[in-house]
Amino acid sequence: MKNNPLENARQQLLDIAKILELDKKTIDRLLKIENLVSGEISVKLDNGKTKKFKAWRSQHNNAVGPYKGGIRFHEETTEEEVKALSMWMTWKTAIVGIPYGGGKGGVAVNPKTLSKSELQRLSRGYIRLIAKAIGSDKDIPAPDVNTNAEIMGWMLDEYEKIIGRKDPGALTGKPLELGGSRGRTEATGLGGSYVLDSFVKKLKKQKKAVSVAIQGFGNVGSYFAKFVHENGYKVVAVSDSKNTLYNEKGLDIRKAFDYKAKNDTFKGFVGGKLLPSEAVLGLNVDILVPAALENAVSEENVSKINAKNILEMANGPVTPKAEEILANKKILIVPDVLANTGGVAVSYFEWVQNLANYYWEKEEISAKLKKLMDSAFAAVWAEYERMSKTTKKATLRQAAYSLAVQKVVKAMQARGEL
Ligand code: NAD
Protein backbone atom coordinates (compact mmCIF):
# COMPACT_ATOMS: atom_id res chain seq x y z
CA MET A 1 0.00 0.00 0.00
CA LYS A 2 1.32 3.43 -0.92
CA ASN A 3 1.98 5.69 2.03
CA ASN A 4 -0.25 8.72 2.03
CA PRO A 5 1.74 11.82 3.06
CA LEU A 6 -1.40 13.67 4.15
CA GLU A 7 -2.27 10.84 6.54
CA ASN A 8 1.31 11.01 7.84
CA ALA A 9 1.17 14.79 8.31
CA ARG A 10 -2.16 14.50 10.13
CA GLN A 11 -0.84 11.67 12.30
CA GLN A 12 2.18 13.75 13.32
CA LEU A 13 -0.13 16.62 14.29
CA LEU A 14 -2.51 14.34 16.24
CA ASP A 15 0.47 12.88 18.06
CA ILE A 16 1.63 16.25 19.38
CA ALA A 17 -1.97 17.45 19.96
CA LYS A 18 -2.37 14.58 22.42
CA ILE A 19 0.82 15.49 24.26
CA LEU A 20 -0.14 19.19 24.38
CA GLU A 21 -3.71 18.23 25.38
CA LEU A 22 -5.24 20.45 22.70
CA ASP A 23 -9.05 20.58 22.57
CA LYS A 24 -11.02 19.19 19.63
CA LYS A 25 -11.87 22.60 18.20
CA THR A 26 -8.20 23.56 18.04
CA ILE A 27 -7.18 20.21 16.54
CA ASP A 28 -9.88 20.38 13.86
CA ARG A 29 -8.82 23.92 13.04
CA LEU A 30 -5.16 22.89 12.69
CA LEU A 31 -6.04 19.88 10.54
CA LYS A 32 -7.99 22.07 8.15
CA ILE A 33 -6.54 23.22 4.84
CA GLU A 34 -7.75 26.83 4.67
CA ASN A 35 -7.86 27.07 0.89
CA LEU A 36 -7.15 24.88 -2.10
CA VAL A 37 -6.85 26.12 -5.67
CA SER A 38 -6.96 23.31 -8.20
CA GLY A 39 -7.49 22.88 -11.90
CA GLU A 40 -5.99 21.71 -15.16
CA ILE A 41 -3.38 23.58 -17.13
CA SER A 42 -3.63 23.28 -20.90
CA VAL A 43 -0.22 23.48 -22.50
CA LYS A 44 0.35 23.84 -26.22
CA LEU A 45 3.09 21.39 -27.16
CA ASP A 46 5.73 22.09 -29.78
CA ASN A 47 4.01 19.62 -32.15
CA GLY A 48 0.84 21.75 -32.10
CA LYS A 49 -1.14 19.38 -29.86
CA THR A 50 -2.48 20.40 -26.45
CA LYS A 51 -1.85 18.47 -23.24
CA LYS A 52 -3.53 18.96 -19.86
CA PHE A 53 -1.83 18.75 -16.48
CA LYS A 54 -3.46 18.64 -13.06
CA ALA A 55 -2.27 21.37 -10.70
CA TRP A 56 -2.85 22.56 -7.15
CA ARG A 57 -1.95 25.27 -4.64
CA SER A 58 -2.74 24.36 -1.07
CA GLN A 59 -2.88 27.01 1.68
CA HIS A 60 -2.85 25.40 5.10
CA ASN A 61 -2.64 28.16 7.70
CA ASN A 62 -1.83 31.87 7.62
CA ALA A 63 -2.27 32.86 11.28
CA VAL A 64 1.39 33.94 11.58
CA GLY A 65 1.76 35.55 8.14
CA PRO A 66 1.28 35.01 4.39
CA TYR A 67 1.28 31.42 3.16
CA LYS A 68 4.73 30.30 2.03
CA GLY A 69 6.00 27.22 0.24
CA GLY A 70 7.47 25.78 -2.92
CA ILE A 71 6.04 24.52 -6.19
CA ARG A 72 6.78 20.94 -7.20
CA PHE A 73 6.73 19.54 -10.73
CA HIS A 74 6.55 15.76 -10.44
CA GLU A 75 4.52 13.12 -12.24
CA GLU A 76 3.43 11.47 -9.01
CA THR A 77 2.34 14.69 -7.31
CA THR A 78 -1.21 14.51 -5.98
CA GLU A 79 -3.63 16.81 -4.19
CA GLU A 80 -3.00 14.97 -0.94
CA GLU A 81 0.77 15.30 -1.26
CA VAL A 82 0.50 19.05 -1.85
CA LYS A 83 -1.82 19.41 1.15
CA ALA A 84 0.61 17.50 3.38
CA LEU A 85 3.52 19.60 2.20
CA SER A 86 1.56 22.81 2.92
CA MET A 87 0.90 21.61 6.47
CA TRP A 88 4.58 20.85 7.00
CA MET A 89 5.39 24.38 5.77
CA THR A 90 3.26 25.87 8.54
CA TRP A 91 5.35 24.08 11.15
CA LYS A 92 8.65 24.86 9.42
CA THR A 93 8.13 28.60 9.21
CA ALA A 94 7.06 28.60 12.86
CA ILE A 95 10.10 26.58 13.98
CA VAL A 96 12.61 28.76 12.20
CA GLY A 97 10.82 31.86 13.48
CA ILE A 98 9.85 33.69 10.29
CA PRO A 99 6.56 35.55 9.83
CA TYR A 100 4.79 33.16 7.46
CA GLY A 101 2.17 30.46 7.35
CA GLY A 102 2.26 27.33 5.20
CA GLY A 103 1.42 26.72 1.56
CA LYS A 104 2.59 24.45 -1.24
CA GLY A 105 1.98 24.00 -4.94
CA GLY A 106 2.35 21.18 -7.39
CA VAL A 107 1.80 20.10 -10.97
CA ALA A 108 1.50 16.43 -11.95
CA VAL A 109 4.07 16.43 -14.74
CA ASN A 110 7.37 14.85 -15.60
CA PRO A 111 9.23 17.98 -16.71
CA LYS A 112 11.91 15.89 -18.40
CA THR A 113 9.36 15.06 -21.12
CA LEU A 114 8.86 18.75 -21.99
CA SER A 115 10.99 21.06 -24.11
CA LYS A 116 12.14 24.31 -22.54
CA SER A 117 9.45 26.35 -24.28
CA GLU A 118 6.76 23.84 -23.22
CA LEU A 119 8.05 24.07 -19.66
CA GLN A 120 7.81 27.84 -19.81
CA ARG A 121 4.22 27.68 -21.10
CA LEU A 122 3.34 25.23 -18.30
CA SER A 123 4.92 27.53 -15.68
CA ARG A 124 3.01 30.55 -16.97
CA GLY A 125 -0.21 28.51 -17.14
CA TYR A 126 0.26 27.48 -13.53
CA ILE A 127 0.55 31.12 -12.45
CA ARG A 128 -2.61 32.04 -14.38
CA LEU A 129 -4.39 29.31 -12.40
CA ILE A 130 -3.25 30.52 -8.98
CA ALA A 131 -2.67 34.27 -9.58
CA LYS A 132 -5.63 35.46 -7.51
CA ALA A 133 -4.46 33.44 -4.51
CA ILE A 134 -0.84 34.66 -4.39
CA GLY A 135 1.06 37.93 -3.85
CA SER A 136 3.80 39.26 -1.58
CA ASP A 137 1.30 39.79 1.26
CA LYS A 138 -0.84 36.71 0.53
CA ASP A 139 1.05 33.61 -0.53
CA ILE A 140 4.65 33.45 -1.73
CA PRO A 141 5.68 30.41 -3.79
CA ALA A 142 9.28 29.26 -4.31
CA PRO A 143 11.18 26.38 -5.97
CA ASP A 144 10.86 22.76 -4.89
CA VAL A 145 11.43 19.42 -6.65
CA ASN A 146 12.17 19.98 -10.36
CA THR A 147 11.63 23.74 -10.24
CA ASN A 148 14.38 26.35 -10.09
CA ALA A 149 15.30 30.04 -10.40
CA GLU A 150 14.65 30.14 -14.14
CA ILE A 151 11.11 28.82 -13.65
CA MET A 152 10.52 31.35 -10.85
CA GLY A 153 11.62 34.09 -13.27
CA TRP A 154 8.99 33.04 -15.85
CA MET A 155 6.38 32.77 -13.12
CA LEU A 156 7.14 36.22 -11.71
CA ASP A 157 6.98 37.72 -15.20
CA GLU A 158 3.56 36.15 -15.81
CA TYR A 159 2.29 37.23 -12.42
CA GLU A 160 3.41 40.84 -12.85
CA LYS A 161 1.79 40.94 -16.31
CA ILE A 162 -1.50 39.79 -14.77
CA ILE A 163 -1.50 42.31 -11.91
CA GLY A 164 -0.07 45.13 -14.06
CA ARG A 165 2.66 46.19 -11.64
CA LYS A 166 5.88 44.98 -10.07
CA ASP A 167 5.67 42.70 -7.04
CA PRO A 168 9.02 40.87 -6.86
CA GLY A 169 8.29 39.62 -3.34
CA ALA A 170 5.43 37.48 -4.74
CA LEU A 171 7.83 34.63 -5.51
CA THR A 172 11.20 33.74 -4.04
CA GLY A 173 14.10 31.73 -5.41
CA LYS A 174 14.18 34.06 -8.43
CA PRO A 175 17.18 34.84 -10.64
CA LEU A 176 19.39 37.60 -9.16
CA GLU A 177 18.43 39.90 -12.06
CA LEU A 178 14.78 39.83 -10.96
CA GLY A 179 15.39 40.44 -7.27
CA GLY A 180 16.60 37.01 -6.23
CA SER A 181 18.76 36.74 -3.15
CA ARG A 182 22.38 35.80 -3.09
CA GLY A 183 22.73 32.37 -1.51
CA ARG A 184 19.16 31.17 -2.15
CA THR A 185 19.99 28.28 -4.49
CA GLU A 186 22.23 26.52 -1.98
CA ALA A 187 20.36 27.71 1.14
CA THR A 188 18.54 24.47 2.06
CA GLY A 189 21.78 22.47 1.90
CA LEU A 190 23.74 25.12 3.79
CA GLY A 191 21.07 25.42 6.49
CA GLY A 192 21.07 21.62 6.85
CA SER A 193 24.84 21.64 7.28
CA TYR A 194 24.48 24.09 10.20
CA VAL A 195 21.88 21.79 11.76
CA LEU A 196 24.21 18.82 11.33
CA ASP A 197 27.00 20.75 13.11
CA SER A 198 24.71 21.49 16.05
CA PHE A 199 23.51 17.89 16.19
CA VAL A 200 27.02 16.42 16.05
CA LYS A 201 28.07 18.73 18.90
CA LYS A 202 25.22 17.30 20.97
CA LEU A 203 26.42 13.78 20.10
CA LYS A 204 29.87 14.90 21.30
CA LYS A 205 31.56 13.64 18.14
CA GLN A 206 34.39 14.97 15.98
CA LYS A 207 33.31 15.89 12.46
CA LYS A 208 35.99 13.84 10.75
CA ALA A 209 34.86 10.76 12.65
CA VAL A 210 31.28 11.15 11.44
CA SER A 211 30.34 9.19 8.31
CA VAL A 212 27.43 10.48 6.24
CA ALA A 213 25.34 8.85 3.46
CA ILE A 214 23.01 11.04 1.39
CA GLN A 215 20.03 9.85 -0.64
CA GLY A 216 19.23 12.24 -3.50
CA PHE A 217 21.62 14.52 -5.32
CA GLY A 218 19.35 17.30 -6.54
CA ASN A 219 19.38 20.85 -5.26
CA VAL A 220 19.14 19.87 -1.60
CA GLY A 221 21.25 16.70 -1.52
CA SER A 222 24.09 17.96 -3.69
CA TYR A 223 24.62 21.26 -1.86
CA PHE A 224 24.24 19.57 1.50
CA ALA A 225 26.89 17.03 0.45
CA LYS A 226 29.19 19.80 -0.76
CA PHE A 227 28.96 21.82 2.47
CA VAL A 228 29.36 18.93 4.88
CA HIS A 229 32.30 17.61 2.86
CA GLU A 230 33.92 21.07 2.99
CA ASN A 231 33.27 21.15 6.73
CA GLY A 232 35.31 17.99 7.26
CA TYR A 233 32.71 15.20 7.52
CA LYS A 234 33.32 11.88 5.80
CA VAL A 235 30.68 11.58 3.07
CA VAL A 236 30.83 7.91 2.11
CA ALA A 237 27.80 7.74 -0.20
CA VAL A 238 25.55 9.85 -2.37
CA SER A 239 22.74 8.58 -4.58
CA ASP A 240 20.31 9.54 -7.29
CA SER A 241 17.30 7.63 -8.65
CA LYS A 242 19.63 5.32 -10.64
CA ASN A 243 22.71 4.61 -8.48
CA THR A 244 24.47 4.94 -5.17
CA LEU A 245 28.05 6.16 -5.39
CA TYR A 246 30.02 4.67 -2.51
CA ASN A 247 33.50 4.88 -1.07
CA GLU A 248 33.98 3.77 2.51
CA LYS A 249 37.06 6.00 2.84
CA GLY A 250 35.05 9.06 1.81
CA LEU A 251 34.10 10.57 -1.56
CA ASP A 252 35.60 13.67 -3.11
CA ILE A 253 32.27 15.49 -3.24
CA ARG A 254 33.54 18.50 -5.14
CA LYS A 255 34.57 16.19 -7.99
CA ALA A 256 31.34 14.15 -7.77
CA PHE A 257 29.31 17.39 -7.80
CA ASP A 258 31.01 18.62 -10.99
CA TYR A 259 30.85 15.17 -12.59
CA LYS A 260 27.13 14.77 -11.97
CA ALA A 261 26.42 18.34 -13.14
CA LYS A 262 28.28 17.62 -16.38
CA ASN A 263 27.11 14.05 -17.10
CA ASP A 264 23.76 13.82 -15.25
CA THR A 265 24.89 10.45 -13.83
CA PHE A 266 27.44 8.99 -11.40
CA LYS A 267 28.27 6.27 -13.95
CA GLY A 268 31.90 6.49 -14.97
CA PHE A 269 33.00 8.53 -11.94
CA VAL A 270 36.41 7.43 -10.72
CA GLY A 271 36.74 7.49 -6.93
CA GLY A 272 33.78 5.41 -5.83
CA LYS A 273 31.94 2.23 -6.74
CA LEU A 274 28.36 2.04 -7.98
CA LEU A 275 25.68 0.26 -5.96
CA PRO A 276 21.94 0.09 -6.61
CA SER A 277 20.09 3.32 -5.83
CA GLU A 278 18.31 2.01 -2.70
CA ALA A 279 21.59 0.65 -1.22
CA VAL A 280 22.30 4.07 0.28
CA LEU A 281 19.57 3.49 2.86
CA GLY A 282 21.14 0.34 4.28
CA LEU A 283 24.68 1.60 4.80
CA ASN A 284 26.27 1.39 8.21
CA VAL A 285 26.93 5.12 8.78
CA ASP A 286 26.69 7.62 11.60
CA ILE A 287 24.20 9.84 9.79
CA LEU A 288 21.82 8.87 7.01
CA VAL A 289 20.42 11.87 5.15
CA PRO A 290 17.34 11.23 3.01
CA ALA A 291 17.25 14.20 0.60
CA ALA A 292 15.07 12.88 -2.25
CA LEU A 293 11.33 12.39 -1.74
CA GLU A 294 8.81 11.48 0.95
CA ASN A 295 8.31 7.91 2.28
CA ALA A 296 11.89 6.85 1.50
CA VAL A 297 11.98 5.00 4.82
CA SER A 298 8.73 3.16 5.48
CA GLU A 299 7.49 0.06 7.28
CA GLU A 300 8.55 -2.02 4.28
CA ASN A 301 12.26 -1.17 4.35
CA VAL A 302 12.89 0.16 7.87
CA SER A 303 14.46 -3.13 8.94
CA LYS A 304 17.27 -2.45 6.45
CA ILE A 305 18.36 0.77 8.15
CA ASN A 306 21.80 0.44 9.72
CA ALA A 307 22.53 4.12 10.34
CA LYS A 308 23.03 5.38 13.90
CA ASN A 309 21.00 8.55 13.32
CA ILE A 310 18.97 10.23 10.58
CA LEU A 311 18.83 13.85 9.44
CA GLU A 312 15.82 14.49 7.21
CA MET A 313 16.62 16.91 4.39
CA ALA A 314 13.70 15.81 2.19
CA ASN A 315 10.15 16.51 3.29
CA GLY A 316 8.47 13.57 4.99
CA PRO A 317 11.10 10.93 4.15
CA VAL A 318 10.41 8.76 7.22
CA THR A 319 6.84 7.55 7.74
CA PRO A 320 5.36 7.65 11.29
CA LYS A 321 5.30 3.83 11.51
CA ALA A 322 8.95 3.61 10.49
CA GLU A 323 9.80 6.36 12.95
CA GLU A 324 8.25 4.42 15.81
CA ILE A 325 10.37 1.38 14.96
CA LEU A 326 13.52 3.50 14.69
CA ALA A 327 12.77 5.27 17.97
CA ASN A 328 12.58 1.90 19.71
CA LYS A 329 16.09 1.24 18.42
CA LYS A 330 17.17 4.62 19.89
CA ILE A 331 17.88 6.05 16.45
CA LEU A 332 17.50 9.81 16.70
CA ILE A 333 15.81 11.58 13.79
CA VAL A 334 16.45 15.28 13.22
CA PRO A 335 13.12 16.14 11.57
CA ASP A 336 12.53 17.79 8.19
CA VAL A 337 10.60 20.66 9.75
CA LEU A 338 13.86 21.71 11.43
CA ALA A 339 16.65 20.37 9.19
CA ASN A 340 15.48 21.62 5.80
CA THR A 341 14.25 25.10 6.75
CA GLY A 342 17.34 26.85 5.34
CA GLY A 343 15.60 27.31 1.99
CA VAL A 344 12.53 29.00 3.37
CA ALA A 345 14.71 31.07 5.72
CA VAL A 346 16.67 32.55 2.81
CA SER A 347 13.40 32.91 0.88
CA TYR A 348 12.33 35.10 3.78
CA PHE A 349 15.55 37.14 3.43
CA GLU A 350 14.84 37.47 -0.29
CA TRP A 351 11.31 38.73 0.42
CA VAL A 352 12.60 41.24 2.99
CA GLN A 353 15.16 42.51 0.45
CA ASN A 354 12.42 42.81 -2.19
CA LEU A 355 10.11 44.76 0.13
CA ALA A 356 12.96 47.08 1.16
CA ASN A 357 14.44 47.19 -2.35
CA TYR A 358 17.85 46.93 -0.73
CA TYR A 359 20.13 43.95 -1.36
CA TRP A 360 22.56 42.19 0.96
CA GLU A 361 25.95 40.57 0.43
CA LYS A 362 26.27 36.79 0.50
CA GLU A 363 28.30 36.81 3.75
CA GLU A 364 25.47 38.66 5.45
CA ILE A 365 22.96 36.08 4.22
CA SER A 366 25.06 33.12 5.40
CA ALA A 367 25.64 34.72 8.82
CA LYS A 368 21.94 35.51 9.26
CA LEU A 369 21.03 31.98 8.14
CA LYS A 370 23.45 30.43 10.61
CA LYS A 371 21.97 32.48 13.44
CA LEU A 372 18.41 31.40 12.58
CA MET A 373 19.30 27.72 12.17
CA ASP A 374 21.43 27.61 15.34
CA SER A 375 18.73 29.18 17.45
CA ALA A 376 15.99 26.97 15.93
CA PHE A 377 18.09 23.87 16.71
CA ALA A 378 18.83 25.08 20.24
CA ALA A 379 15.14 25.74 20.92
CA VAL A 380 14.08 22.33 19.59
CA TRP A 381 16.83 20.54 21.55
CA ALA A 382 15.86 22.35 24.77
CA GLU A 383 12.23 21.37 24.24
CA TYR A 384 13.33 17.78 23.55
CA GLU A 385 15.24 17.68 26.85
CA ARG A 386 12.29 19.21 28.68
CA MET A 387 9.86 16.69 27.17
CA SER A 388 12.22 13.79 27.83
CA LYS A 389 11.91 14.45 31.58
CA THR A 390 8.20 13.65 31.49
CA THR A 391 7.78 11.47 28.38
CA LYS A 392 10.04 8.44 28.12
CA LYS A 393 9.77 8.28 24.34
CA ALA A 394 10.01 11.95 23.36
CA THR A 395 11.37 12.54 19.86
CA LEU A 396 13.00 15.54 18.24
CA ARG A 397 10.02 15.70 15.88
CA GLN A 398 7.62 15.95 18.80
CA ALA A 399 9.77 18.71 20.28
CA ALA A 400 9.80 20.64 17.01
CA TYR A 401 6.05 20.17 16.55
CA SER A 402 5.42 21.20 20.13
CA LEU A 403 7.10 24.57 19.58
CA ALA A 404 5.53 25.10 16.15
CA VAL A 405 1.99 24.14 17.08
CA GLN A 406 2.05 26.25 20.22
CA LYS A 407 3.25 29.25 18.22
CA VAL A 408 0.52 28.87 15.59
CA VAL A 409 -2.16 28.31 18.24
CA LYS A 410 -1.05 31.47 20.07
CA ALA A 411 -1.26 33.45 16.82
CA MET A 412 -4.78 32.15 16.19
CA GLN A 413 -5.75 32.98 19.78
CA ALA A 414 -4.31 36.49 19.40
CA ARG A 415 -6.57 36.90 16.36
CA GLY A 416 -9.55 35.88 18.51
CA GLU A 417 -10.04 32.83 16.29
CA LEU A 418 -9.80 30.24 19.04
P1 NAD B 1 15.48 18.07 -6.96
O1 NAD B 1 14.45 17.84 -8.01
O2 NAD B 1 16.51 19.11 -7.18
O3 NAD B 1 16.26 16.68 -6.64
C1 NAD B 1 15.66 15.49 -6.28
C2 NAD B 1 16.72 14.42 -6.31
O4 NAD B 1 16.20 13.21 -5.78
C3 NAD B 1 17.28 14.07 -7.68
O5 NAD B 1 18.68 13.95 -7.59
C4 NAD B 1 16.70 12.68 -7.97
O6 NAD B 1 17.53 11.92 -8.80
C5 NAD B 1 16.66 12.14 -6.58
N1 NAD B 1 15.77 11.01 -6.41
C6 NAD B 1 14.49 10.85 -6.77
N2 NAD B 1 14.05 9.63 -6.42
C7 NAD B 1 15.10 9.03 -5.81
C8 NAD B 1 15.30 7.77 -5.23
N3 NAD B 1 14.34 6.86 -5.17
N4 NAD B 1 16.52 7.48 -4.69
C9 NAD B 1 17.51 8.38 -4.72
N5 NAD B 1 17.37 9.59 -5.26
C10 NAD B 1 16.19 9.89 -5.80
O7 NAD B 1 14.67 18.35 -5.62
P2 NAD B 1 15.17 19.11 -4.32
O8 NAD B 1 14.77 20.54 -4.43
O9 NAD B 1 16.57 18.75 -4.04
O10 NAD B 1 14.21 18.48 -3.22
C11 NAD B 1 14.51 17.25 -2.54
C12 NAD B 1 13.67 17.16 -1.28
O11 NAD B 1 13.95 18.28 -0.43
C13 NAD B 1 12.16 17.19 -1.49
O12 NAD B 1 11.55 16.42 -0.49
C14 NAD B 1 11.82 18.65 -1.28
O13 NAD B 1 10.46 18.85 -0.94
C15 NAD B 1 12.75 18.98 -0.14
N6 NAD B 1 13.04 20.41 0.04
C16 NAD B 1 13.48 21.17 -0.99
C17 NAD B 1 13.78 22.51 -0.73
C18 NAD B 1 14.35 23.41 -1.78
O14 NAD B 1 14.67 24.56 -1.45
N7 NAD B 1 14.54 22.97 -3.01
C19 NAD B 1 13.59 23.05 0.55
C20 NAD B 1 13.15 22.22 1.56
C21 NAD B 1 12.88 20.89 1.30
Side-chain angles (χ1 to χ4, degrees):
M1 196 185 70
K2 197 172 183 303
N3 266 293
N4 178 336
L6 184 58
E7 280 312 310
N8 295 346
R10 287 167 157 263
Q11 192 50 52
Q12 289 160 345
L13 176 62
L14 292 174
D15 183 30
I16 195 62
K18 201 167 158 195
I19 294 172
L20 295 176
E21 298 177 352
L22 299 183
D23 59 41
K24 186 170 180 316
K25 186 179 163 204
T26 305
I27 298 172
D28 288 346
R29 183 64 188 77
L30 291 172
L31 285 170
K32 195 177 144 199
I33 300 292
E34 289 175 354
N35 187 32
L36 177 79
V37 182
S38 66
E40 279 192 330
I41 309 169
S42 290
V43 177
K44 193 156 184 233
L45 303 179
D46 295 343
N47 64 11
K49 290 187 182 154
T50 300
K51 198 168 172 188
K52 289 185 172 170
F53 299 93
K54 286 196 174 131
W56 305 268
R57 180 79 191 166
S58 169
Q59 299 175 325
H60 171 244
N61 188 297
N62 69 353
V64 176
Y67 303 106
K68 182 92 192 79
I71 299 167
R72 173 176 291 197
F73 285 177
H74 195 277
E75 56 191 336
E76 284 171 23
T77 289
T78 60
E79 179 178 318
E80 299 210 311
E81 179 186 69
V82 173
K83 284 179 172 170
L85 288 160
S86 71
M87 207 182 245
W88 286 326
M89 284 308 300
T90 304
W91 315 135
K92 275 196 225 183
T93 52
I95 289 162
V96 79
I98 54 180
Y100 293 134
K104 197 83 182 192
V107 182
V109 58
N110 177 355
K112 287 191 178 152
T113 62
L114 300 182
S115 70
K116 200 161 175 177
S117 50
E118 289 167 343
L119 191 61
Q120 181 171 165
R121 289 196 285 279
L122 174 78
S123 305
R124 290 181 183 275
Y126 180 70
I127 287 300
R128 288 195 292 277
L129 176 73
I130 66 164
K132 281 205 178 95
I134 64 169
S136 56
D137 54 0
K138 237 188 205 177
D139 182 355
I140 305 132
D144 190 60
V145 174
N146 288 329
T147 57
N148 56 22
E150 185 178 41
I151 292 176
M152 294 305 115
W154 298 330
M155 288 184 169
L156 180 73
D157 183 64
E158 187 67 24
Y159 180 68
E160 290 183 338
K161 278 185 179 136
I162 293 169
I163 62 169
R165 64 185 163 79
K166 300 291 177 208
D167 188 15
L171 287 119
T172 57
K174 303 177 292 284
L176 281 182
E177 298 73 23
L178 298 182
S181 177
R182 291 181 178 86
R184 172 60 185 89
T185 304
E186 61 273 37
T188 308
L190 182 61
S193 76
Y194 294 146
V195 172
L196 179 65
D197 284 349
S198 300
F199 183 52
V200 165
K201 265 188 209 149
K202 293 290 177 196
L203 298 177
K204 298 194 171 46
K205 290 205 163 187
Q206 296 293 323
K207 289 179 189 182
K208 60 175 190 294
V210 173
S211 57
V212 181
I214 302 164
Q215 182 200 37
F217 208 68
N219 171 285
V220 175
S222 67
Y223 279 108
F224 178 84
K226 192 166 175 271
F227 291 121
V228 303
H229 173 70
E230 278 168 14
N231 289 349
Y233 293 92
K234 192 164 88 167
V235 182
V236 295
V238 293
S239 78
D240 61 15
S241 53
K242 307 247 163 44
N243 305 289
T244 291
L245 179 66
Y246 176 67
N247 184 338
E248 64 178 339
K249 296 204 175 94
L251 293 161
D252 184 332
I253 294 297
R254 203 167 310 168
K255 283 191 183 147
F257 189 94
D258 292 344
Y259 188 88
K260 167 87 177 163
K262 199 168 154 210
N263 302 290
D264 197 29
T265 176
F266 293 125
K267 257 187 209 149
F269 179 77
V270 185
K273 62 178 175 187
L274 289 184
L275 303 174
S277 172
E278 61 284 1
V280 70
L281 296 172
L283 295 173
N284 189 348
V285 287
D286 293 300
I287 314 270
L288 172 65
V289 183
L293 289 171
E294 55 264 26
N295 300 332
V297 182
S298 66
E299 235 182 327
E300 283 96 71
N301 64 358
V302 65
S303 60
K304 299 199 179 107
I305 300 292
N306 284 309
K308 295 198 180 68
N309 295 296
I310 294 179
L311 183 115
E312 296 183 331
M313 288 304 291
N315 284 309
V318 180
T319 67
K321 286 226 170 89
E323 176 159 21
E324 215 179 301
I325 295 165
L326 294 169
N328 285 335
K329 291 188 184 169
K330 303 262 178 289
I331 294 178
L332 278 180
I333 300 177
V334 183
D336 48 5
V337 288
L338 169 64
N340 72 24
T341 49
V344 74
V346 175
S347 272
Y348 166 59
F349 298 156
E350 179 174 336
W351 179 80
V352 170
Q353 292 171 79
N354 293 150
L355 298 190
N357 226 335
Y358 177 72
Y359 291 85
W360 311 341
E361 294 304 323
K362 195 163 174 178
E363 294 68 36
E364 201 174 341
I365 309 260
S366 307
K368 282 189 160 78
L369 176 64
K370 180 163 167 43
K371 212 169 155 193
L372 272 192
M373 302 306 294
D374 286 356
S375 67
F377 182 91
V380 170
W381 193 269
E383 180 70 354
Y384 169 65
E385 288 186 330
R386 192 193 65 76
M387 288 172 80
S388 298
K389 285 183 191 140
T390 49
T391 326
K392 256 197 281 168
K393 284 186 168 178
T395 65
L396 283 165
R397 190 183 317 280
Q398 285 169 342
Y401 268 63
S402 166
L403 297 179
V405 168
Q406 290 184 72
K407 180 170 176 184
V408 174
V409 167
K410 275 188 193 143
M412 290 195 296
Q413 282 167 343
R415 289 176 183 279
E417 250 200 84
L418 285 175

